[in-house]
Amino acid sequence: MMFVSLLRFWLKGWIYDLYVAPKHFFTYYGFDWVKPFGEMGMYFLFFGVMLAAIGIALGLFYRWSATLFFLGFTYIELIDKSNYLNHYYFISIVSLLMILLPAHRHFSIDVWRKPSLNRNTTAAWTIGAIRLQLGTVYFFAGIAKLNYDWLFRAMPLKLWLPAHGTIPVVGALLQKTWVAFAFSWFGAIYDLFIPFFLMAKRFRWLAYGAVVSFHVITGWLFQIGMFPYIMILATLVFFSADFHERLLGKLKEWVRYPEIDGNSLSRGIQARWITAVLVLHFFIQWAFPFRYLAYPGDLFWHEQGFRFGWRVMLIEKAGSTFFYAQLPGSDRRIEIRNSDYLTPNQEKMMSTQPDMMLQFAQIIKKDLDEKGYPDAAIFAESYVTLNGSGSRPFIDSNVNLAELSDTWTNKQWIKPFEQ
């Protein structure tokens, strides 16, 4: 699936659009050292990650493939936060887990090359880790939906669904307010409880039917790429060993894979330290989404602590931000043309996210310094609309953003959201 996803990314020209064409990039806090490798370098990087994805699927040099995939894919995602998506984060985390798992110890090219690797059974934690990661994504996405806008205003679905009103048969329904409420409440209930129904043998097939229906519908209505199909296949991990053995049996016949004797995978010292790593991993996974509680105000407005929290499709936000440079000793402010520095997608994302505004101010200041206009003050005037609220002032336009640096402390120059 990831090979297909990356190939699709390549064929659509997104490697060039997102990692070659931009003049500047919005790096993550602490990852300023992550830079694109230039045009040829980025294509080689994607090619390497695609090869690694094939290696994981075939069980070929599995540990190396899993490690290279995790490092390569995560590096790509760290280059520019303009491209942040929850499902990219999910892929990075799962690929990290895959490094730890002995997923190549049965029905793989590694076993075919070295039959002593073969194991007929595996420890429960190896499957449980993936199930727990999937359950974490769903459950935390459900928690994130327990807010006033989602449940009692049907936002942002009340804005998004009518846009599909021209679809034959169901288009008229999608324009109804009650349908937006139904989608909102079903989405929250689905995310909160689907992991538990998938775990229960009695409800598993029914729950999987809901998984397929949910992701097919969301994939059809919204442009979310390969994510629905990745989740549909990934949730098969909740099915029993017998189910997977039947699938593998048919696949072995098709590819004429030889029968290879194997033993059970034993728990040892290695398994125990891996378990300790997993405990730390999931503690971080469960604690990190709640870091937003350290910041006052409306999370959806200021977005401090928003990313990496499984907040999926929760807000409709748009804005316009105008930057001005003021040279020392002058009262005159010169408007900056954002498009001279940023791509349309970067400008769109920057215009609603304060940490990116701060980074953009630093980019402008550095450029003016290099052009012989040192110590310029950079101000911004920003207006943002959130979930149909209408445009509102977003930041204090009298704050010199060039004097500030991005930290995890509260950004007091963000204006409070006014209802």
Side-chain angles (χ1 to χ4, degrees), residues 125-146:
W125 67 264
T126 60
I127 300 169
I130 299 297
R131 289 178 175 175
L132 190 56
Q133 185 60 62
L134 281 164
T136 297
V137 173
Y138 279 121
F139 189 68
F140 276 75
I143 291 176
K145 289 181 173 66
L146 302 181

Side-chain angles (χ1 to χ4, degrees), residues 107-296:
F107 188 42
S108 70
I109 293 181
D110 282 346
V111 167
W112 180 70
R113 291 169 48 242
K114 189 176 180 181
S116 61
L117 287 175
N118 192 43
R119 295 292 183 271
N120 291 327
T121 62
T122 188
W125 67 264
T126 60
I127 300 169
I130 299 297
R131 289 178 175 175
L132 190 56
Q133 185 60 62
L134 281 164
T136 297
V137 173
Y138 279 121
F139 189 68
F140 276 75
I143 291 176
K145 289 181 173 66
L146 302 181
N147 66 80
Y148 183 83
D149 268 10
W150 184 270
L151 295 176
F152 300 108
R153 295 183 64 225
M155 286 292 184
L157 292 178
K158 199 162 64 178
L159 298 175
W160 292 344
L161 292 180
H164 301 281
T166 57
I167 296 176
V169 184
V170 299
L173 273 179
L174 296 176
Q175 299 185 60
K176 305 289 186 185
T177 299
W178 68 266
V179 173
F181 275 96
F183 271 59
S184 295
W185 279 80
F186 174 78
I189 293 170
Y190 167 86
D191 282 340
L192 285 170
F193 295 103
I194 197 65
F196 303 104
F197 283 110
L198 285 167
M199 288 293 296
K201 183 178 179 181
R202 181 179 177 186
F203 300 108
R204 189 166 296 142
W205 275 107
L206 183 62
Y208 191 68
V211 168
V212 173
S213 302
F214 178 84
H215 287 295
V216 166
I217 291 172
T218 54
W220 176 50
L221 290 177
F222 309 111
Q223 295 181 355
I224 46 180
M226 297 290 291
F227 180 67
Y229 313 106
I230 291 171
M231 294 302 281
I232 287 171
L233 290 182
T235 44
L236 287 173
V237 76
F238 285 93
F239 282 85
S240 67
D242 291 341
F243 171 84
H244 290 282
E245 284 293 342
R246 287 196 295 274
L247 285 182
L248 288 180
K250 293 179 180 177
L251 198 54
K252 285 177 180 177
E253 289 180 11
W254 184 61
V255 300
R256 299 181 180 179
Y257 189 82
E259 286 297 328
I260 300 174
D261 293 333
N263 301 315
S264 300
L265 188 69
S266 60
R267 285 180 63 87
I269 295 174
Q270 187 183 37
R272 285 193 287 273
W273 77 256
I274 289 177
T275 303
V277 170
L278 290 176
V279 169
L280 176 62
H281 167 82
F282 283 109
F283 172 76
I284 295 172
Q285 283 284 300
W286 297 336
F288 206 54
F290 292 107
R291 71 192 186 283
Y292 78 93
L293 295 173
Y295 302 101

